[in-house]
Amino acid sequence: MRDFCGVFGIYSFSRKPELAKLAYFALFALQHRGQECAGIAAADGTDIKLFKKMGLVNQVFNEENLKNLDGHLAIGHVRYSTTGSSVIENAQPVVMDTKFGPIAIAHNGNLVNTDDLKNELKGRGLSFIGTTDSEVIAALISTSKEEVFEQALLASLSKLQGAFSIVIITRDKLFAFRDPQGIRPLCLGKVDDAYVFASETCALDIIGARFLREVGNGEMVVVEKEGLRSKTWSFSEREAMCIFEHIYFARPDSVLHGHNVYQTRVALGKYLASEYPVDADMVIGVPESGVPAAIGFAEESKIPYGEGLIKNRYVGRTFIQPSQEIRELGVRLKLNPIGDALRGKKVVVVDDSIVRGTSSRQIVKILRDAGAREVHFRISSPPIIGSCFYGIDTPTRAELIAANLSIEGIRKYIDADTLGYLSVKSMIRAVGLPEESVCLACFNGNYPVRIPEKLTSLNLLFDKGVMSDVM
Ligand code: AMP
């Protein structure tokens, strides 16, 4: 099971009123990171209160339930999970009573050793309500032999393998930390006298918080009544920030590792235009994630940029649909062509990625049905050949079209006149970070945290070529 998630944490020294409202607005800004459930846990020095429910942030919370979440520290979470695990039991934050008192945990990322940890904990007589990694982390803390909370926390952290950006509150302290490779993002900001943590800077902006810095890989930051302190709880030379955050997942107005996501996506499009030039009449983007790269493509190629597809904003990301049949319908529900703009034109259509090939195949058809004379597909990232085990929801290799077909095979499958993917080298240049500091596993199969065999075995059954007979 893999999670897409967003996390938030806040601690106010002056006991700022309506803290939960700030958490609410921050989660609202992080909504793109998870649309299935949302929750906030708040502490007032003596107790932790929790409210979580299935639904979008503005469906989950109202004035009344936010008012009940009083306190001077809080954490929040939005979640999107793969089908099957989409139940309230898996909503976060997870609150657990421990020998140290109540704690609440919210987690973004994915552990690769959850099963082993669960088995170990079950052996100690623990049972689990849901399937989230947060529950496992809370159980590790709760059963730790350590006598001091922070020691129990550090001992538990040292058992975790994989990607984790986590915020935790006790009754009176806020902890935030990232895994040793810093795979998922987490930043630190300040609003008035309150310190805040968020998956992305767009959540700081919405509540008027100033960005201070990112939480480092392997760093733990603690906010308590004496102030803020930090320590490196685990040292790894290999930083491995997920590059897919820059390409697709993060909001374009966020800043990751000092780089504005929108500008990065425009640069990806520019490199794409120079690697795969084409003679065409107009460049369009697949809304919304393909639009900045399309703008970059148009700028570099000098082919006019135009709108050719209109997105119904009220339909969620098509991935959320479970079956292939509904997924295909999903693209139609989501995108409608502007016939007059496309008719008779040679069109370059830019998207950020191809996963299963469902959307691109549908889009080519939509554009052709609308009268486009030629359809040239351009992808502002390299072919996705490996599943993500660190918290981006990608299917198994069997379903990843680029793990199973050649580029020409994909072109035929989606029925485009031409197809071009950005190279890994240009992607790295556009993102502007050293290759050694990013995770490229989905593009090159090089996983920075070892993936246990039982997780990869299903994936590896399907090697290049096997699926081509099926498709
Ligand atoms: P597919 O139709 O399976 O090829 O998916 C490709 C589309 O899904 C592209 O338009 C991407 O913007 C979007 N996408 C890429 N990665 C993901 C993801 N992990 N979850 C949801 N959507 C994604």
Side-chain angles (χ1 to χ4, degrees), residues 4 80 244 247-249 286-290 317-320 324 327 331 334-335 350-363 377 379 384 388 391-395 399-401 414:
F4 262 8
Y80 159 69
F244 210 63
I247 287 161
Y248 166 77
F249 199 28
V286 177
E288 295 164 0
S289 48
R317 288 178 172 179
T318 55
F319 246 59
I320 293 171
Q324 183 75 3
R327 213 176 282 125
V331 183
K334 190 168 123 178
L335 295 172
V350 182
D351 202 356
D352 58 273
S353 57
I354 296 181
V355 183
R356 296 179 171 90
T358 316
S359 313
S360 30
R361 186 179 157 106
Q362 286 279 320
I363 287 163
F377 230 99
I379 303 298
I384 298 179
C388 179
I392 294 279
D393 174 38
T394 41
E399 294 167 274
L400 289 174
I401 195 166
I414 68 173

